[in-house]
Amino acid sequence: MNSPCRLLVVDDDPMVREAYRIFFARNAGYQVVGEARDGNEAVQAWRTHRPDVTLMDLQMPEKSGVDATREICGQWPEACVVALTTFGTREYIVAALRAGASGYLLKDAGGPALIAGIQQALAGEMPLSAAVRRELVSNVLDTPEPTRQMPPDPGLAPREKELLRWLAQGLTNQQIGAKMFVSEGTVKQYLSHIGDKMGLKSRTQILVRAIQLGIVDPTEMDPVTGR
């Protein structure tokens, strides 16, 4: 029998923390092992519990979720912190991802999307709500051309470019594998090779670079679903 996914819930609203406790208690395979009310408590709680995934609110008193994420990921590189917040502006998104967040989900995403996001984070993927992905794309497109330094062509193979187009649509590694008729492990190898060619490791950084190179056309993404 597999061990449950151990979760640390960080939110300054006690009602929100209680809602998460109830939600995960009703979902087999998940266990809330710790809670924190602010960033300082989050760091201490991570040190004590060493959770599999931390669900991190961003705007909190004393120390923000962004600062707590930066400190946790700086001290424990293996930490998996997923931002879970009501704020979907690019300022928060970019700050959280730069701090080391493994993903960025909005609280209105719903229970199934939250579970899916946790599973993606555990698999080494970067879960992003559709609205968050669109905001990241918008951030790239809004960058003034004179200040944007276009990177060189990394020499991607046709199959690697195809993978990036599926990645831009928000598909998981498993879903991409089904589209490309390859295994999930092969998709991970493709992504690793693409990252090596681009000199990048983050899925989000890879996607942004693909947009800059014109490999991915963000205008083809559905404006409602982000796909």
Side-chain angles (χ1 to χ4, degrees):
M1 181 176 178
N2 294 330
S3 301
C5 174
R6 302 171 66 257
L7 301 168
L8 169 62
V9 175
V10 184
D11 199 293
D12 63 335
D13 188 332
M15 294 184 66
V16 170
R17 297 198 304 274
E18 181 180 6
Y20 287 140
R21 280 199 306 272
I22 294 172
F23 173 75
F24 288 113
R26 294 174 177 172
N27 284 269
Y30 298 89
Q31 178 185 7
V32 176
V33 296
E35 299 179 21
R37 297 171 297 178
D38 57 47
N40 287 322
E41 288 189 3
V43 175
Q44 295 299 324
W46 204 100
R47 178 180 289 108
T48 299
H49 299 289
R50 304 297 172 105
D52 298 315
V53 177
T54 299
L55 301 178
M56 182 75 72
D57 191 20
L58 296 185
Q59 192 172 65
M60 297 180 293
E62 302 298 330
K63 177 179 288 184
S64 72
V66 170
D67 290 338
T69 298
R70 183 179 299 107
E71 185 170 344
I72 289 172
C73 294
Q75 292 191 44
W76 302 284
E78 73 276 14
C80 180
V81 179
V82 176
L84 185 58
T85 178
T86 58
F87 299 96
T89 61
R90 69 183 61 179
E91 177 185 2
Y92 278 96
I93 296 168
V94 172
L97 295 179
R98 283 180 175 171
S102 299
Y104 198 110
L105 301 175
L106 300 180
K107 288 182 178 179
D108 62 2
L114 176 56
I115 293 294
I118 291 172
Q119 288 301 313
Q120 289 178 40
L122 285 171
E125 302 176 15
M126 178 172 280
L128 300 172
S129 292
V132 173
R133 186 177 295 105
R134 291 197 300 273
E135 190 62 37
L136 286 174
V137 170
S138 177
N139 186 40
V140 174
L141 297 180
D142 289 347
T143 302
E145 287 294 340
T147 61
R148 184 191 300 170
Q149 296 182 352
M150 189 61 63
D153 186 340
L156 300 182
R159 290 284 276 176
E160 292 173 332
K161 293 180 179 179
E162 178 188 354
L163 186 150
L164 290 175
R165 288 191 285 272
W166 292 123
L167 180 66
Q169 294 185 28
L171 273 63
T172 65
N173 287 349
Q174 184 178 23
Q175 292 169 330
I176 293 173
K179 292 287 187 181
M180 297 180 66
F181 302 101
V182 297
S183 69
E184 185 175 354
T186 300
V187 172
K188 292 180 179 179
Q189 290 180 351
Y190 271 131
L191 277 172
S192 178
H193 292 159
I194 292 170
D196 289 342
K197 289 181 178 180
M198 292 183 170
L200 303 170
K201 293 188 179 297
S202 162
R203 290 166 69 93
T204 299
Q205 291 176 334
I206 290 172
L207 178 57
V208 168
R209 183 66 56 83
I211 295 170
Q212 292 174 332
L213 291 171
I215 298 170
V216 171
D217 183 359
T219 64
E220 295 180 354
M221 296 170 61
D222 188 288
V224 175
T225 64
R227 298 185 176 183

